[in-house]
Amino acid sequence: MANGAWLGSVLTRLGGAFERLVFAPTCGGCGWPGVWWCEHCRNQLSHLQLVVPRCPRCDRPQTTISHACPDCRDWPPYVEGVRALYQYRGPLRSAVHRVKYRGERRRAAQLATVLAAAAPELVSPWRSVLTCVVPVPLHPIRQRERGFNQSTVLACCVARSLDRPLFEDLCRRRWTSPQVGQDRAARWNNVAGAFRWNGGPLTGTVLLVDDVVTTGATIVAASEALVTAGAQAVVVLALARAATYP
Ligand SMILES: [Zn+2]
Ligand SMILES: [Zn+2]
């Protein structure tokens, strides 16, 4: 073997070993190597659609069936519904933290595959009227820090699964401080008017994709920008729904 070819083959093998080491899956809950979920953590995932009762509009788990849902009672009527795959707790919450604070892009892609597979069923009441899929954007500074927007990773897969175009023209107009630890009123003030649509005119019902829905402040502010751009209604698909305010 010529020296160049030998060196090339060694580097390729080293590269492969490095890739397996760095990019090998680990459990989203406990970090156990070799799998995206270990059996213990997988058993603790809470599938939201199995939790009853939930608010029929915003998917918030409720303790009793109530007509005055504390999350969505003040939302504008054009936010027609929210559907989420998981409850935001336990191992799923750890997995989202790994994506957001450790920049684990491959985990985001793995979660996106699972959400996309469930998307047709989750949004079935609206599926025929959806015109496009739009991710909730990060502020450009935060996106540079993280290297990617986890909601865009989710939305890409969902758009393919639903066979609808993906539009990434929703932008953060200004910096908003992290919502974690803020109460409901502070969250609403923080994001009001924070979004702007930079694309062409929208029509019909838009599917907005976010990673986690909590009070709904972010999705309502984003929906306002979509409706200003011509959308008639907005449906939200999220990876997870928080039942309490973290
Ligand atoms: Zn685990
Ligand atoms: Zn509700």
Side-chain angles (χ1 to χ4, degrees), residues 99-100 102-105 138-150 153:
V99 168
K100 284 170 94 153
R102 299 193 201 170
E104 294 186 9
R105 190 181 190 134
L138 289 176
H139 189 275
I141 294 175
R142 188 156 291 141
Q143 179 147 348
R144 257 201 307 281
E145 280 169 6
R146 198 171 297 165
F148 64 98
N149 174 5
Q150 68 280 2
V153 177

Tab-separated table of all heavy atoms in Angstrom, residues 99-100 102-105 138-150 153:
chain	number	residue	atom	x	y	z
A	99	VAL	N	-30.408	18.893	24.709
A	99	VAL	CA	-30.428	19.542	23.393
A	99	VAL	C	-30.152	21.043	23.539
A	99	VAL	O	-29.312	21.607	22.838
A	99	VAL	CB	-31.799	19.308	22.709
A	99	VAL	CG1	-31.945	20.196	21.490
A	99	VAL	CG2	-31.957	17.841	22.325
A	100	LYS	N	-30.820	21.674	24.509
A	100	LYS	CA	-30.769	23.131	24.580
A	100	LYS	C	-29.481	23.654	25.222
A	100	LYS	O	-28.945	24.665	24.797
A	100	LYS	CB	-31.959	23.664	25.385
A	100	LYS	CG	-33.247	23.641	24.598
A	100	LYS	CD	-34.423	23.926	25.467
A	100	LYS	CE	-34.801	25.382	25.466
A	100	LYS	NZ	-36.231	25.584	25.753
A	102	ARG	N	-26.626	21.673	26.098
A	102	ARG	CA	-25.369	21.008	25.721
A	102	ARG	C	-25.214	20.918	24.207
A	102	ARG	O	-24.282	20.285	23.717
A	102	ARG	CB	-25.303	19.598	26.318
A	102	ARG	CG	-25.341	19.582	27.834
A	102	ARG	CD	-24.947	18.198	28.318
A	102	ARG	NE	-25.423	17.956	29.662
A	102	ARG	CZ	-25.377	16.765	30.244
A	102	ARG	NH1	-24.905	15.731	29.583
A	102	ARG	NH2	-25.808	16.611	31.481
A	103	GLY	N	-26.182	21.482	23.473
A	103	GLY	CA	-26.052	21.534	22.013
A	103	GLY	C	-26.068	20.182	21.327
A	103	GLY	O	-25.409	19.992	20.305
A	104	GLU	N	-26.819	19.201	21.869
A	104	GLU	CA	-26.824	17.846	21.286
A	104	GLU	C	-27.767	17.785	20.075
A	104	GLU	O	-28.930	17.422	20.190
A	104	GLU	CB	-27.209	16.822	22.356
A	104	GLU	CG	-26.157	16.719	23.453
A	104	GLU	CD	-26.445	15.595	24.442
A	104	GLU	OE1	-27.356	14.782	24.207
A	104	GLU	OE2	-25.735	15.550	25.468
A	105	ARG	N	-27.212	18.125	18.934
A	105	ARG	CA	-28.014	18.221	17.717
A	105	ARG	C	-28.570	16.871	17.266
A	105	ARG	O	-29.684	16.776	16.766
A	105	ARG	CB	-27.133	18.822	16.618
A	105	ARG	CG	-27.899	19.193	15.393
A	105	ARG	CD	-26.988	19.748	14.339
A	105	ARG	NE	-27.793	20.307	13.267
A	105	ARG	CZ	-27.578	21.482	12.716
A	105	ARG	NH1	-26.586	22.226	13.094
A	105	ARG	NH2	-28.360	21.916	11.761
A	138	LEU	N	-35.310	31.107	17.199
A	138	LEU	CA	-34.475	31.607	18.295
A	138	LEU	C	-33.988	32.993	17.900
A	138	LEU	O	-33.945	33.324	16.717
A	138	LEU	CB	-33.245	30.716	18.479
A	138	LEU	CG	-33.426	29.321	19.043
A	138	LEU	CD1	-32.078	28.599	19.036
A	138	LEU	CD2	-33.965	29.386	20.461
A	139	HIS	N	-33.573	33.776	18.888
A	139	HIS	CA	-32.890	35.017	18.547
A	139	HIS	C	-31.558	34.637	17.886
A	139	HIS	O	-30.924	33.652	18.290
A	139	HIS	CB	-32.639	35.846	19.810
A	139	HIS	CG	-32.148	37.221	19.498
A	139	HIS	ND1	-30.819	37.486	19.280
A	139	HIS	CD2	-32.799	38.394	19.337
A	139	HIS	CE1	-30.680	38.778	19.011
A	139	HIS	NE2	-31.869	39.351	19.041
A	140	PRO	N	-31.106	35.406	16.853
A	140	PRO	CA	-29.858	35.041	16.155
A	140	PRO	C	-28.671	34.837	17.093
A	140	PRO	O	-27.830	33.959	16.846
A	140	PRO	CB	-29.614	36.232	15.221
A	140	PRO	CG	-30.946	36.855	15.023
A	140	PRO	CD	-31.759	36.570	16.252
A	141	ILE	N	-28.596	35.601	18.174
A	141	ILE	CA	-27.451	35.446	19.093
A	141	ILE	C	-27.514	34.081	19.771
A	141	ILE	O	-26.524	33.364	19.869
A	141	ILE	CB	-27.443	36.573	20.158
A	141	ILE	CG1	-27.182	37.917	19.472
A	141	ILE	CG2	-26.396	36.306	21.242
A	141	ILE	CD1	-27.260	39.103	20.391
A	142	ARG	N	-28.731	33.695	20.215
A	142	ARG	CA	-28.859	32.398	20.878
A	142	ARG	C	-28.613	31.262	19.882
A	142	ARG	O	-28.010	30.254	20.216
A	142	ARG	CB	-30.253	32.280	21.510
A	142	ARG	CG	-30.382	31.067	22.370
A	142	ARG	CD	-31.452	31.204	23.423
A	142	ARG	NE	-31.115	32.162	24.449
A	142	ARG	CZ	-31.976	33.017	25.009
A	142	ARG	NH1	-33.229	33.018	24.635
A	142	ARG	NH2	-31.592	33.848	25.937
A	143	GLN	N	-29.067	31.458	18.644
A	143	GLN	CA	-28.858	30.411	17.638
A	143	GLN	C	-27.362	30.238	17.340
A	143	GLN	O	-26.893	29.121	17.149
A	143	GLN	CB	-29.623	30.753	16.358
A	143	GLN	CG	-29.410	29.691	15.294
A	143	GLN	CD	-30.613	29.490	14.406
A	143	GLN	OE1	-31.705	29.977	14.681
A	143	GLN	NE2	-30.428	28.770	13.335
A	144	ARG	N	-26.626	31.345	17.327
A	144	ARG	CA	-25.169	31.250	17.114
A	144	ARG	C	-24.504	30.504	18.254
A	144	ARG	O	-23.631	29.667	18.044
A	144	ARG	CB	-24.553	32.648	16.985
A	144	ARG	CG	-24.237	33.015	15.540
A	144	ARG	CD	-23.209	34.110	15.423
A	144	ARG	NE	-23.508	35.302	16.182
A	144	ARG	CZ	-24.365	36.255	15.812
A	144	ARG	NH1	-25.011	36.132	14.672
A	144	ARG	NH2	-24.568	37.315	16.558
A	145	GLU	N	-24.948	30.780	19.492
A	145	GLU	CA	-24.377	30.090	20.662
A	145	GLU	C	-24.585	28.579	20.548
A	145	GLU	O	-23.702	27.789	20.823
A	145	GLU	CB	-25.093	30.541	21.942
A	145	GLU	CG	-24.632	31.864	22.495
A	145	GLU	CD	-25.585	32.357	23.607
A	145	GLU	OE1	-26.518	31.622	24.023
A	145	GLU	OE2	-25.374	33.491	24.030
A	146	ARG	N	-25.832	28.191	20.175
A	146	ARG	CA	-26.202	26.769	20.183
A	146	ARG	C	-25.818	26.078	18.890
A	146	ARG	O	-25.652	24.878	18.845
A	146	ARG	CB	-27.717	26.667	20.419
A	146	ARG	CG	-28.176	25.322	20.859
A	146	ARG	CD	-29.632	25.385	21.280
A	146	ARG	NE	-29.839	26.250	22.423
A	146	ARG	CZ	-31.017	26.712	22.813
A	146	ARG	NH1	-32.085	26.392	22.139
A	146	ARG	NH2	-31.126	27.491	23.864
A	147	GLY	N	-25.722	26.831	17.807
A	147	GLY	CA	-25.359	26.261	16.511
A	147	GLY	C	-26.556	25.791	15.704
A	147	GLY	O	-26.438	25.515	14.521
A	148	PHE	N	-27.712	25.686	16.321
A	148	PHE	CA	-28.912	25.258	15.606
A	148	PHE	C	-30.139	25.645	16.432
A	148	PHE	O	-30.031	25.930	17.616
A	148	PHE	CB	-28.914	23.746	15.362
A	148	PHE	CG	-28.967	22.928	16.637
A	148	PHE	CD1	-30.170	22.414	17.106
A	148	PHE	CD2	-27.816	22.685	17.372
A	148	PHE	CE1	-30.232	21.679	18.276
A	148	PHE	CE2	-27.865	21.951	18.552
A	148	PHE	CZ	-29.071	21.449	19.004
A	149	ASN	N	-31.285	25.647	15.747
A	149	ASN	CA	-32.556	25.891	16.441
A	149	ASN	C	-33.296	24.568	16.543
A	149	ASN	O	-33.656	23.971	15.521
A	149	ASN	CB	-33.377	26.920	15.657
A	149	ASN	CG	-34.769	27.117	16.249
A	149	ASN	OD1	-35.106	26.564	17.290
A	149	ASN	ND2	-35.591	27.882	15.560
A	150	GLN	N	-33.500	24.088	17.763
A	150	GLN	CA	-34.127	22.774	17.948
A	150	GLN	C	-35.533	22.733	17.345
A	150	GLN	O	-35.967	21.700	16.843
A	150	GLN	CB	-34.141	22.363	19.423
A	150	GLN	CG	-35.032	23.164	20.340
A	150	GLN	CD	-34.402	24.500	20.754
A	150	GLN	OE1	-33.306	24.842	20.318
A	150	GLN	NE2	-35.100	25.252	21.580
A	153	VAL	N	-35.224	21.979	13.658
A	153	VAL	CA	-34.930	20.557	13.437
A	153	VAL	C	-36.231	19.755	13.507
A	153	VAL	O	-36.507	18.893	12.662
A	153	VAL	CB	-33.905	20.041	14.480
A	153	VAL	CG1	-33.652	18.552	14.318
A	153	VAL	CG2	-32.587	20.818	14.364
